[in-house]
Amino acid sequence: MEGLDIKNKTAILLGIFLIFVLISGIGSAAELIVQPGNSIQAAVDNASPGDVITIKPGTYTENIKITKGDLTIRSESGNPDNTIIKAKSSKVNVLSLQSVSNVKISGIKAIGASGDSYSGINLYKCNKCVIENNKLTNNGRGIYLVNSRECTISKNTVMNNGVFGIYLASSGSNHVSENTVYNNNRGIYLGSSDYNKIIGNNVTYNEYL
């Protein structure tokens, strides 16, 4: 009987261990790979908080809306010139982040949102997001923050956009640093935006600063 008790205890302990393993696997971060011909939007829609969406080199024609936080969207190569997201509709932002926190976008080129009111990357009511090492070109606005706080806009190349390179509207406590902003109508523009750190940007050949 004593041996049977030991076996029962061992089985119970093993069962508890397996339950912990299963629980720890639930909600763990995953990497979603997007290949040319596949949809980045579909990957975003299927992602869970903490996931990383890695985009293979290629050109993707779509407008992407991000409404869930705690995601990383990055190019596999880290080179914006070979990972391009082109607006399917020129009257919609290429990438639109809406009411999210802790989203990071890096290593992509966003082009073709050519209407004056549309952007390569648009952040609306976002917090603690990171936009880093991207290229924004041939849009109405390169990077546009509205009612957003504590975001980091760093090491991006923002060029040949129709109205604004980087535009902060009613957005405070953001960090804008080491961006190259040139040949836009306006370079970096702040509208009703206080307590932002604008440091070490290279702003040249814009009609206005």
Side-chain angles (χ1 to χ4, degrees), residues 41 62-65 86-96 98 111-122 138-141:
Q41 183 68 61
E62 49 186 318
N63 302 88
I64 299 163
K65 183 183 289 187
K86 182 179 180 181
K88 183 174 183 179
S89 170
S90 63
K91 304 301 183 185
V92 180
N93 301 310
V94 183
L95 291 106
S96 180
Q98 299 182 2
I111 64 173
S114 58
D116 289 352
S117 299
Y118 305 104
S119 310
I121 299 177
N122 184 92
N138 297 319
N139 304 290
R141 302 164 176 171

Side-chain angles (χ1 to χ4, degrees), residues 3 10 34 48 56 58 65 75-76 78 92-93 104 110 119 136 153 159 178 182 193 196:
T10 302
V34 182
S48 299
K56 296 278 188 178
K65 183 183 289 187
S75 67
E76 182 184 60
V92 180
N93 301 310
K104 181 176 182 179
S119 310
L136 298 307
I153 311 299
M159 53 183 280
E178 299 182 68
Y182 69 95
S193 297
N196 295 286

Side-chain angles (χ1 to χ4, degrees), residues 45-101:
D45 292 343
N46 290 320
S48 299
D51 286 354
V52 176
I53 298 170
T54 300
I55 306 170
K56 296 278 188 178
T59 299
Y60 301 80
T61 303
E62 49 186 318
N63 302 88
I64 299 163
K65 183 183 289 187
I66 302 163
T67 57
K68 59 180 71 173
D70 299 301
L71 296 178
T72 296
I73 301 171
R74 67 184 184 188
S75 67
E76 182 184 60
S77 67
N79 179 5
D81 285 318
N82 67 20
T83 308
I84 301 163
I85 305 175
K86 182 179 180 181
K88 183 174 183 179
S89 170
S90 63
K91 304 301 183 185
V92 180
N93 301 310
V94 183
L95 291 106
S96 180
L97 287 68
Q98 299 182 2
S99 302
V100 297
S101 299

Side-chain angles (χ1 to χ4, degrees), residues 23 25 30 37 39 41 45 66 74 77 82 140 142 179 199 203 206 208:
I23 290 172
S39 168
Q41 183 68 61
D45 292 343
I66 302 163
R74 67 184 184 188
S77 67
N82 67 20
N179 300 285
I199 302 171
V203 185
N206 304 282
Y208 304 92

